Amino acid sequence: VEDQGLPFDFRKFDVEKESGLGVILMKAFADEIHFLHLGRRGKRVELVKNIPYKDVEAYISGEEKDRTLPLPPVPEDIPLTVRLMKPDDSADLARCVYRCYGYTYANGDVYFPDKVREFLESGLLISHVALAPDDEVIGHFAIRKEHPEARIGERGQAVVDPRYRGHGLLNKLISASVEHAKNMGMYGTYGEAVTVHTYSQKAALSVGARETGVLLGFTPSTMLFKKIQEGHQQRQAAVILYTRLNEEPWRDAYPPVHHQAIIRRIYERNNLRRNVMNALDVKESADIPMSSQLDVRVQTEASRAFMLVAQYGADLEDLVKFRLRELCLRKIDCIYIDLPLSHPATAKFCASLEMLGFFFAGVIPEMSEGDVLRLQYLNNVDVDLENVQIASDFGKELFDYVTKARG
């Protein structure tokens, strides 16, 4: 809803204070409420209501729920197939994830076949599946795009049925996905590899991925890894891995001075075409508007939130402080904010956000008409750092840098 009425002070929208009837109704009927200042165009209120979908239990029988996977594993010489996922495979994928993780998988979308079907049909999801000889889905790997025309996508949802581990399926799925995305003309893909083990890191590294950051506490404590690690655990770290697929444009980047050295190392490691600029040489612009634009996305099941600075404004620190408090009150464990490195103001605002408790996480190339610097915030959660397994020397270097930045 957009209007050009009296400007609204978002800081007065406090969950602990009494509000008018309109705000009470919005809170009662909406899953998320976003306030955006549009400058001369007024303001916008966005109400998000998640449409309910049937979950995986509607597609499987009671006998299938109770079935235990046969042991020992399936022989390695059995013929397996990898192909692009079709919308009609959505229910079979949900079954595969259920067999592997029960209901503990961090990305809850995969448990709702109709939602996955919509993502596939709209071009927001590009998935590959592995099939057994009887066409049973036994593996999956996906690229998720923010919009159909995006030139970068987020890798993830890497699932392999425990019976078929040791068949090299993850490498085959990743290779097929990378080749398809390259042929589509995408600049690259990125993903978060768990640190409970090094299998997924090594699989990504084997097809040209390189580390660009480490997210502490990214993997929820509720996510179980059958045949790898079971039982209660703390939140786990994840390594950001970027795969450069096609030559991207030359871009200027303005990293904060105190992170410039590690960001240069990340660019060199990934062979990115970048002009690293010194933000201190850029005169402070008077063109920064009064109001910022901040996009917020919440993954409730994984207890994660992502903020993207869509426009710098003089009120950014206040706006982030407000959003941060709101997310902390909702008990979101891990909160991330992405700052566009193509804007000289990133150097200035990075320091002020770090004063709020954010700290360095890494760089995600080509996310928003250029790279973003990702900062992370842990909301009073325990993170398992003692059992972190990192596959490469540069990954270990990044992990050390991030843990030191946390302080």
Side-chain angles (χ1 to χ4, degrees):
V1 179
E2 294 185 5
D3 69 80
Q4 290 184 308
L6 187 68
F8 177 78
D9 185 356
F10 61 84
R11 287 167 294 189
K12 293 183 179 178
F13 186 72
D14 193 320
V15 293
E16 292 184 345
K17 296 178 181 178
E18 293 185 4
S19 303
L21 178 60
V23 170
I24 293 173
L25 290 174
M26 284 191 289
K27 290 181 184 177
F29 292 103
D31 294 311
E32 296 179 37
I33 305 172
H34 302 159
F35 293 97
L36 299 175
H37 292 299
L38 304 178
R40 294 180 183 275
R41 292 188 292 121
K43 60 185 183 295
R44 176 192 297 159
V45 179
E46 297 178 352
L47 305 177
V48 179
K49 183 66 179 177
N50 295 318
I51 300 173
Y53 292 86
K54 292 185 292 185
D55 77 358
V56 62
E57 289 199 358
Y59 296 85
I60 59 178
S61 65
E63 180 182 349
E64 190 174 3
K65 292 178 190 175
D66 297 334
R67 188 183 68 184
T68 56
L69 294 174
L71 294 174
V74 174
E76 292 186 17
D77 59 351
I78 191 169
L80 306 175
T81 306
V82 173
R83 64 161 170 80
L84 272 172
M85 182 177 173
K86 303 173 184 177
D88 288 344
D89 296 326
S90 300
D92 291 333
L93 170 61
R95 291 189 183 96
C96 178
V97 175
Y98 181 83
R99 286 196 302 271
C100 295
Y101 296 98
Y103 274 115
T104 73
Y105 194 67
N107 189 324
D109 290 345
V110 295
Y111 294 110
F112 300 92
D114 291 335
K115 182 180 286 190
V116 173
R117 173 186 288 272
E118 287 182 10
F119 288 149
L120 289 166
E121 292 175 340
S122 65
L124 296 176
L125 193 68
I126 306 167
S127 290
H128 282 77
V129 290
L131 304 176
D134 60 357
D135 287 337
E136 178 186 23
V137 173
I138 56 171
H140 175 260
F141 191 81
I143 296 174
R144 175 74 181 271
K145 301 167 76 175
E146 286 295 321
H147 53 85
E149 296 77 31
R151 302 291 293 275
I152 184 176
E154 182 178 11
R155 300 186 310 270
Q157 299 179 22
V159 178
V160 174
D161 189 312
R163 296 171 295 173
Y164 292 86
R165 290 180 183 149
H167 290 249
L169 271 184
L170 185 56
N171 289 52
K172 293 175 184 177
L173 285 163
I174 292 176
S175 296
S177 179
V178 166
E179 188 64 25
H180 184 76
K182 186 174 183 179
N183 292 336
M184 290 177 62
M186 295 180 68
Y187 292 143
T189 61
Y190 74 96
E192 301 87 8
V194 298
T195 58
V196 171
H197 55 73
T198 60
Y199 306 139
S200 53
Q201 294 174 54
K202 289 179 178 177
L205 291 168
S206 71
V207 294
R210 296 293 179 264
E211 301 90 341
T212 65
V214 176
L215 305 175
L216 304 185
F218 185 80
T219 306
S221 60
T222 53
M223 186 170 174
L224 304 180
F225 298 83
K226 291 189 177 180
K227 307 299 180 185
I228 299 175
Q229 179 174 347
E230 302 188 22
H232 179 73
Q233 59 188 34
Q234 296 173 307
R235 293 191 75 101
Q236 302 282 336
V239 178
I240 307 174
L241 287 148
Y242 180 75
T243 306
R244 185 173 184 253
L245 302 176
N246 289 293
E247 199 171 73
E248 69 287 328
W250 274 99
R251 300 194 186 277
D252 294 340
Y254 296 88
V257 174
H258 56 299
H259 295 313
Q260 190 174 110
I262 192 66
I263 291 175
R264 280 185 182 273
R265 294 270 290 131
I266 290 169
Y267 285 155
E268 291 166 2
R269 172 80 171 162
N270 286 268
N271 296 315
L272 295 171
R273 290 147 45 103
R274 297 295 183 268
N275 299 312
V276 178
M277 314 295 285
N278 191 343
L280 294 178
D281 295 336
V282 180
K283 293 182 179 179
E284 193 164 336
S285 173
D287 296 333
I288 293 181
M290 291 299 297
S291 300
S292 306
Q293 290 188 24
L294 193 65
D295 296 337
V296 182
R297 179 165 51 96
V298 180
Q299 296 177 349
T300 305
E301 298 90 348
S303 196
R304 297 189 293 242
F306 300 85
M307 296 187 279
L308 170 65
V309 177
Q311 175 180 290
Y312 279 117
D315 66 344
L316 179 67
E317 186 177 347
D318 286 339
L319 181 56
V320 171
K321 192 182 298 183
F322 165 74
R323 289 292 188 206
L324 181 62
R325 181 175 183 275
E326 185 180 51
L327 292 167
C328 287
L329 287 172
R330 291 177 60 180
K331 297 184 179 179
I332 300 299
D333 288 344
C334 299
I335 302 163
Y336 306 97
I337 186 165
D338 294 333
L339 312 178
L341 281 166
S342 58
H343 201 300
T346 289
K348 170 189 173 183
F349 284 105
C350 175
S352 62
L353 295 179
E354 287 173 327
M355 293 295 289
L356 297 179
F358 286 93
F359 60 97
F360 183 88
V363 172
I364 301 179
E366 297 295 335
M367 173 173 271
S368 180
E369 295 299 320
D371 313 329
V372 297
L373 167 62
R374 174 163 289 183
L375 304 179
Q376 55 191 323
Y377 182 98
L378 300 180
N379 182 21
N380 295 316
V381 293
D382 292 326
V383 178
D384 183 2
L385 300 181
E386 293 183 2
N387 299 310
V388 168
Q389 299 185 46
I390 305 289
S392 78
D393 290 339
F394 185 65
K396 293 172 184 175
E397 180 183 335
L398 276 175
F399 176 72
D400 290 342
Y401 187 91
V402 168
T403 53
K404 289 176 182 175
R406 181 189 181 192

